[in-house]
């Protein structure tokens, strides 16, 4: 299925079309592409810049492998979370970070205090609109995901941009802090530059 019709699987759109011929569901295609992107990002951490940007990125990178905990973590590091995530995970039994707890921890290493939630963090620093695309992001920028790219109140996730199309984040219950491509989530809502 994938190689039929002389497709160039190195071309992202042709790969998407090939996967769609295998299973006629665009949701399935998005899920498979997300898995491919996560796999491609494994084990590849970009060079860490100097200064405050480097301090933030290095702090976040040292937390890789720590479990996701709904409501967990903050400026002081990982902690037990709260109950309960939208899918029912009890963070009160897991020591770790949620997405905004991780960003609070990393930015605290550079002396920057961030609000607790991803939506509130969108108001920190200089806002980068989603319409500007991923290409304007710089290492150390916050990366946001939301139900409406122009309404900060709908932001539900935040990560830290590492460069080369990658971010470090605490994705969701059942995962760990890790490096993912910025395309791993479908609802990009822009970024914010604090450094």
């Amino acid at each position: 299925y994938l190689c039929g019709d002389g497709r160039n699987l190195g071309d992202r759109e042709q790969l998407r079309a090939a996967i769609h011929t295998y299973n006629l569901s665009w949701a399935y295609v998005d899920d498979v592409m997300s898995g491919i992107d996560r796999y491609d990002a494994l084990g590849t951490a970009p060079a860490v810049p100097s200064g405050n940007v480097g301090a933030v990125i290095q702090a976040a990178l040292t937390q890789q492998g720590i479990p996701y905990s709904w409501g967990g973590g903050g400026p002081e590091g990982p902690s037990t979370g709260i109950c309960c995530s939208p899918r029912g995970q009890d963070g009160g039994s897991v020591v770790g970070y949620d997405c905004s707890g991780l960003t609070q921890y990393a930015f605290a290493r550079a002396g920057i205090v961030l609000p607790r939630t991803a939506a509130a963090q969108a108001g920190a620093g200089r806002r980068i609109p989603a319409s500007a695309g991923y290409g304007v992001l710089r290492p150390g920028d916050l990366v946001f995901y939301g139900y409406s790219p122009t309404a900060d109140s709908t932001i539900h996730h935040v990560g830290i941009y590492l460069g080369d199309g990658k971010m470090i984040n605490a994705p969701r219950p059942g995962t760990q802090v890790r490096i993912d491509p910025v395309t791993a989530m479908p609802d990009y809502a822009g970024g914010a530059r604090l450094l």
Side-chain angles (χ1 to χ4, degrees):
Y1 284 104
L2 296 177
C3 297
D5 298 328
R7 290 185 187 94
N8 172 6
L9 300 181
D11 177 275
R12 191 168 181 89
E13 289 310 309
Q14 289 186 45
L15 177 58
R16 286 180 60 79
I19 294 167
H20 191 256
T21 63
Y22 176 75
N23 184 327
L24 299 178
S25 162
W26 289 111
Y28 174 81
V29 171
D30 290 341
D31 188 44
V32 170
M33 294 300 293
S34 176
I36 290 169
D37 290 340
R38 284 192 312 275
Y39 181 80
D40 286 346
L42 288 175
T44 56
V48 177
S50 61
N52 283 339
V53 171
V56 167
I57 290 174
Q58 187 60 44
L61 289 173
T62 63
Q63 303 306 297
Q64 288 182 89
I66 293 179
Y68 181 97
S69 178
W70 179 261
E76 301 303 317
S79 68
T80 55
I82 59 174
C83 188
C84 288
S85 75
R87 294 195 177 162
Q89 189 238 12
D90 181 1
S93 63
V94 179
V95 174
Y97 293 101
D98 67 7
C99 62
S100 56
L102 176 64
T103 56
Q104 281 188 308
Y105 171 77
F107 276 84
R109 307 290 70 78
I112 297 171
V113 177
L114 289 177
R116 179 63 185 104
T117 66
Q121 289 179 8
R126 184 174 67 80
R127 193 72 166 88
I128 302 166
S131 61
Y134 299 114
V136 300
L137 294 172
R138 292 186 197 156
D141 287 347
L142 293 174
V143 183
F144 299 110
Y145 299 85
Y147 303 111
S148 171
T150 58
D152 287 355
S153 63
T154 71
I155 289 174
H156 59 80
H157 189 78
V158 61
I160 300 170
Y161 189 66
L162 298 173
D164 195 28
K166 297 180 178 114
M167 67 176 167
I168 185 154
N169 78 108
R172 64 186 166 280
T175 65
Q176 300 173 339
V177 174
R178 66 188 188 198
I179 296 172
D180 278 328
V182 293
T183 57
M185 298 181 74
D187 48 2
Y188 177 63
R193 184 161 298 142
L194 288 90
L195 303 168

